[in-house]
Amino acid sequence: MIYNKFGKTGIEISALGFGSMRLPMVQDSDNNNHVDMDKAVAMMRHGFDLGINYVDSAYGYCASESEIAVGKALKGYRDKVYLSTKLPLGNIKATGDFDRHLTEQLTKLDVDYIDFYHFHGVSNERLENVILKYKLIDEALKAKSAGLIRHLSFSFHDKPEIMNKIIDLGVFSSVLCQYNLLDRTNEPAIAYAVEQGLGVVGMGPVGGGRLSYPSEFMQDLVEQNVSTPELALRFVISNPNIHCALSGMGNLQMVDENVKTASISEPLSSDELQGIDATLKQCQSLADIYCTGCGYCMPCPHEVNIPACFAALILKKVYKLDVAAVERYNTIKPVNQAAACVKCGACEKKCPQNIPITKRLKETTEIITRADRAV
Ligand code: SF4
Ligand code: SF4
């Protein structure tokens, strides 16, 4: 396992972190989902034994049972593994809610302190209307003084320039943000975080599952014989500004494969990275010809989710990620899929890219249906 200096925390963090949002689940007789505790605990401990020293949870993950599972897995490992979890900002309606949640989380985790306590899903709106409004930074600093949390952190979901603004508050030790082969928009903000002494954990190294299936196109990006998920993880780990790639692992095979990848001390070469960079830039330009995702064409009077349909089309046509394209398309409710288009043409007048939307929607239906039959 590779270990990296984690900002100014004084910690050496494993290049692979255990994300506990996809733990194995079981259903009870009333069809309620629960974590399969025995399997989940064994899987996390297997990862810890292989050198993973950072585990990440959140209040609501896995039917709100992820923290319980993580707490159980940490028994006997507490001094070897750093524990990260998150305050659900969406639940905060008053200042006292901070303490209430932290107490509940410490109880669920069955620990005396949390190493990295994140504000979950920070955006500009939540910064202004929750964190600052309810003085959560003061609350967190009090919890830190009381020894209940060691570091204050945030997970991030907004435009990169907002990340800089949050970093400039000067109270955070680390940031958790999206970074993968298909989404590198946070790259400059990540570099700024490192410059300011924060540790950086990258989430979604396999693009939220989009890169977890084989793609000849992706594999051809480098000369070495690597699988698509391996390439995706190595790409993230090869960025010196990412100290830990957080992977939500759901079975032992995934743990073994990811640990193997995170133990390769040779990062992708600069030639390989440059080649990947050039190819992905071309892909992005090509994708923009299909749709930039700006949403100006919306709403469609017949409820077609145009940008979502085109996101699936792009995965298929540009990135050749057939399974991911079908999966993405199937996340769109049938009433919002391309087939609901009645060709009224209202959207085309609003598209700044002059995209022939009706023609492309027809193409989306045909191509995704064909891909669905093939996978
Ligand atoms: S052409 Fe189709 S997608 Fe566009 S607004 Fe009309 S129904 Fe909606
Ligand atoms: S307006 Fe054009 S580019 Fe923007 S989301 Fe709609 S189709 Fe895509």
Side-chain angles (χ1 to χ4, degrees), residues 300-302 304 306 340-348 357-358 361:
C300 153
H302 293 271
V304 178
I306 302 166
C341 173
V342 299
K343 302 185 179 63
C344 71
C347 54
E348 294 189 353
I357 297 177
T358 49
L361 284 173

Side-chain angles (χ1 to χ4, degrees), residues 30 42 68 70 72 81 89 92 99 116-117 122 135 156 173 178 216 219 224 231 252 274 288 293 300 327 346 350 366:
D30 295 324
I68 298 169
V70 168
K72 287 182 192 292
V81 178
L89 292 178
I92 306 297
D99 273 346
F116 293 92
Y117 195 50
V122 180
K135 300 188 171 32
F156 178 73
S173 299
Q178 190 78 18
E216 279 179 29
Q219 283 156 227
Q224 303 167 45
L231 172 67
L252 285 170
Q274 273 172 22
D288 287 349
C300 153
E327 283 192 353
K350 294 188 273 180
E366 286 163 5

Side-chain angles (χ1 to χ4, degrees), residues 120-149:
H120 197 168
V122 180
S123 59
N124 197 43
E125 193 272 322
R126 280 186 166 173
L127 174 68
E128 301 292 338
N129 297 329
V130 183
I131 296 175
L132 299 178
K133 180 174 176 187
Y134 298 116
K135 300 188 171 32
L136 298 186
I137 292 174
D138 293 346
E139 294 299 301
L141 293 178
K142 273 190 243 158
K144 205 171 159 185
S145 300
L148 302 177
I149 61 178

Side-chain angles (χ1 to χ4, degrees), residues 3 23 28 90 95 99 101 104 111 131 135 152 160 166 169 184-185 196 247 255 267 281 287 303 313 315:
Y3 294 89
L23 297 175
D28 65 18
T95 303
D99 273 346
H101 279 86
E104 186 187 342
V111 294
I131 296 175
K135 300 188 171 32
L152 180 58
I166 298 165
L169 292 171
R184 298 163 61 190
T185 43
Q196 298 304 309
S247 176
V255 178
K281 275 190 183 132
E303 297 188 18
L313 182 69
L315 283 171

Side-chain angles (χ1 to χ4, degrees), residues 290-297 306-307 310 350-353 355 357:
Y290 282 99
C291 175
T292 62
C294 68
Y296 291 143
C297 54
I306 302 166
F310 289 161
K350 294 188 273 180
C351 175
Q353 312 296 322
I355 287 167
I357 297 177

Side-chain angles (χ1 to χ4, degrees), residues 210-269:
R210 286 173 296 170
L211 298 167
S212 51
Y213 301 103
S215 153
E216 279 179 29
F217 170 74
M218 287 291 166
Q219 283 156 227
D220 286 349
L221 289 176
V222 290
E223 283 179 9
Q224 303 167 45
N225 184 19
V226 291
S227 68
T228 305
E230 184 186 338
L231 172 67
L233 189 54
R234 281 190 70 191
F235 173 79
V236 174
I237 291 170
S238 293
N239 183 334
N241 288 336
I242 301 281
H243 305 129
C244 172
L246 191 66
S247 176
M249 293 178 271
N251 59 55
L252 285 170
Q253 190 195 346
M254 250 174 117
V255 178
D256 284 336
E257 284 171 3
N258 285 348
V259 167
K260 199 169 138 221
T261 305
S263 304
I264 299 170
S265 53
E266 195 63 31
L268 292 171
S269 70

